[in-house]
Amino acid sequence: MDLPALDLAQPTPAPQGVNTQGLADFLRRFFAPLFLVIVSVVALFFLFTREITRFVQFIILAIAIGVIFYVPNIIEVTAKAIAVALGISVG
């Protein structure tokens, strides 16, 4: 006699981890336009108030942040480097 309750007692396979295959692409597509709008508004504010030093500092910071979002694989490489530094095995 086969009972359906016995099927529930079978162990389920453990999850292998979080699937982050498209996470970096999603973040780029989501935040890149928002980032460009914010950079434009703040840069215009600095230009209209004639704060050239802050404008230059802001543009340098914006370029550095832009490199993080637009250079391919930099997020993955940085994440793997941090994981290795923390002693987490990377597959």
Side-chain angles (χ1 to χ4, degrees), residues 3-48:
L3 298 175
L6 293 178
D7 290 335
L8 296 174
Q10 298 298 324
T12 57
Q16 297 297 322
V18 178
N19 183 7
T20 59
Q21 185 67 30
L23 181 61
D25 292 330
F26 170 76
L27 289 174
R28 282 188 194 104
R29 282 185 277 122
F30 183 76
F31 286 112
L34 183 65
F35 172 72
L36 291 175
V37 168
I38 292 171
V39 166
S40 300
V41 169
V42 174
L44 286 174
F45 172 76
F46 284 140
L47 281 177
F48 284 132

Side-chain angles (χ1 to χ4, degrees), residues 45-56:
F45 172 76
F46 284 140
L47 281 177
F48 284 132
T49 57
R50 297 186 182 184
E51 297 183 35
I52 301 302
T53 305
R54 285 191 183 198
F55 172 74
V56 172

